[in-house]
Amino acid sequence: MSKEFSYTIEEVSQLLKVSKLTLYDLVKKGELPVFRIGRQMRIDANDLNTYINRQKNNQSTMAQPFEPKRETKDPFSIVISGQDMVLDILGRYIERNSPYHALRSYTGSLNSLISMYNGKMDIVSLHMFDGYTGEYNVPYVKKILVSRPYILLNLLSRRAGFYVKKGNPLNLTSWADLRRRDIRIINREKGSGARILLDEQLRINEIPSGEIIGYDQEETNHLSVASAVSTGMADIGVGIEKAAKIVGIDFIPLITERYDLVMIKNDSTELLINTVKNILSSSQFRKEIDSLGDYDTSITGEIIYETF
């Protein structure tokens, strides 16, 4: 390792070839000590080496969230795509109440939906805003899952908006503020729901993306965007409320997004669909989601759209 005294989360992410989300999880669990210089989180070089050596001794390594490969013909191995922690809870309920084994993919909404069209995903979570209709998800599913029978169920609703520094010193309150030349944004990757929301709002408000400072700077998850704002790498980012509270920055709510699940309908998926329906309609599942805070389960389990 380098002889530098300490590293930023970004530097450790590059050194170990893992996502920053993985590192934040290790920090949260207390497995990787950190300290702060101002608002910046740093990792002591000795602490990092200690962690690496401990992992070597345990014959284990940190792994970046992987894209499960469908090499097995096991009909009960399924892939759930999306980043929200609620999907991990859903996977646990599925395994508890059915013969299925749930694998996780952390790909964004649009790319996951395309993968489903190509037969590589079993449950895809979606939060894609369509500015022409003001609706979430249905317009995209109709266009991409052409000729495929499917069902779209609501998982939950949640607020999306701006991540800003504590106290909102630049007084950022609306999409129109993105016209300002004194702010730097941190963006999400193409195909993510947050990126689609931003791009649709830029189109609606007639704001050229080329005029936005930082538009081409991308992160691949909500926590990394929120962290970039927290550490001063950016003044503003777009994401969900939960990540802002985890990182400890302010959140400006701008829209309530419907977070849905889509599944292909055929004879082989009938058991999976019924399992998910039963889970989403159970009071136990809803209570567990409600206990997390920042989620609305009032229409959880409702059929949003279904082909026949």
Side-chain angles (χ1 to χ4, degrees):
M1 305 296 291
S2 166
K3 294 182 179 180
E4 291 186 30
F5 173 73
S6 65
Y7 304 95
T8 65
I9 291 289
E10 176 72 28
E11 289 168 341
V12 175
S13 173
Q14 294 173 357
L15 283 169
L16 299 184
K17 302 296 188 291
V18 299
S19 72
K20 286 185 282 187
L21 184 60
T22 298
L23 294 175
Y24 285 121
D25 186 55
L26 290 172
V27 170
K28 184 177 179 181
K29 292 177 179 177
E31 297 181 25
L32 189 59
V34 297
F35 66 95
R36 292 182 180 274
I37 298 179
R39 294 185 177 182
Q40 188 179 70
M41 187 182 296
R42 299 190 70 88
I43 299 171
D44 186 276
N46 291 329
D47 289 335
L48 180 59
N49 283 322
T50 298
Y51 174 80
I52 292 172
N53 290 331
R54 185 167 66 245
Q55 296 306 101
K56 287 180 179 178
N57 292 335
N58 292 335
Q59 295 185 338
S60 62
T61 59
M62 272 196 306
Q64 187 174 12
F66 70 104
E67 292 303 316
K69 296 181 179 180
R70 307 301 296 275
E71 296 175 351
T72 177
K73 294 183 179 179
D74 180 3
F76 294 110
S77 178
I78 62 168
V79 179
I80 304 174
S81 182
Q83 295 184 354
D84 200 291
M85 67 178 71
V86 173
L87 298 170
D88 298 314
I89 298 174
L90 175 64
R92 176 159 42 86
Y93 271 75
I94 290 174
E95 292 183 338
R96 185 186 303 164
N97 293 280
S98 74
Y100 292 106
H101 172 61
L103 302 174
R104 291 283 283 110
S105 167
Y106 298 89
T107 310
S109 295
L110 182 58
N111 292 333
S112 293
L113 192 57
I114 294 171
S115 292
M116 171 168 274
Y117 178 82
N118 291 321
K120 297 180 180 179
M121 297 288 178
D122 299 287
I123 301 176
V124 168
S125 62
L126 305 171
H127 59 113
M128 296 189 290
F129 176 73
D130 178 57
Y132 292 100
T133 63
E135 189 175 5
Y136 265 89
N137 302 325
V138 175
Y140 294 92
V141 177
K142 285 182 175 180
K143 291 176 181 177
I144 294 175
L145 295 185
V146 178
S147 77
R148 301 287 201 279
Y150 57 85
I151 184 170
L152 189 70
L153 300 169
N154 178 254
L155 177 60
L156 51 86
S157 297
R158 60 190 189 182
R159 297 198 298 181
F162 289 156
Y163 298 141
V164 297
K165 297 174 184 177
K166 274 288 189 181
N168 192 11
L170 296 178
N171 192 30
L172 302 169
T173 60
S174 71
W175 299 108
D177 288 331
L178 295 176
R179 290 191 177 91
R180 290 169 50 175
R181 301 296 296 170
D182 62 336
I183 61 172
R184 173 179 291 275
I185 197 170
I186 185 74
N187 211 343
R188 281 292 303 279
E189 80 281 8
K190 298 178 182 67
S192 67
R195 176 64 168 264
I196 291 171
L197 174 60
L198 172 63
D199 287 345
E200 283 291 81
Q201 293 297 339
L202 293 180
R203 180 182 60 77
I204 292 170
N205 289 276
E206 299 181 343
I207 304 173
S209 61
E211 296 181 4
I212 298 178
I213 300 172
Y215 178 84
D216 294 326
Q217 301 300 310
E218 300 177 355
E219 292 289 350
T220 57
N221 56 71
H222 293 294
L223 282 177
S224 293
V225 172
S227 176
V229 173
S230 174
T231 59
M233 290 175 57
D235 301 302
I236 188 172
V238 175
I240 61 171
E241 185 172 13
K242 174 63 71 177
K245 290 188 176 180
I246 291 173
V247 174
I249 56 176
D250 283 357
F251 177 75
I252 310 300
L254 296 175
I255 193 169
T256 297
E257 61 179 23
R258 205 182 63 231
Y259 195 41
D260 298 329
L261 303 176
V262 62
M263 291 174 283
I264 297 295
K265 288 174 52 180
N266 54 46
D267 291 341
S268 66
T269 61
E270 183 177 359
L271 175 59
L272 177 60
I273 290 173
N274 288 334
T275 298
V276 173
K277 281 183 174 180
N278 291 334
I279 291 170
L280 297 183
S281 63
S282 71
S283 59
Q284 182 181 3
F285 179 77
R286 294 189 184 193
K287 285 179 181 177
E288 185 163 351
I289 303 311
D290 289 337
S291 69
L292 298 174
D294 306 314
Y295 295 120
D296 179 359
T297 60
S298 59
I299 63 169
T300 294
E302 182 176 310
I303 298 175
I304 303 300
Y305 190 86
E306 183 175 11
T307 59
F308 295 97

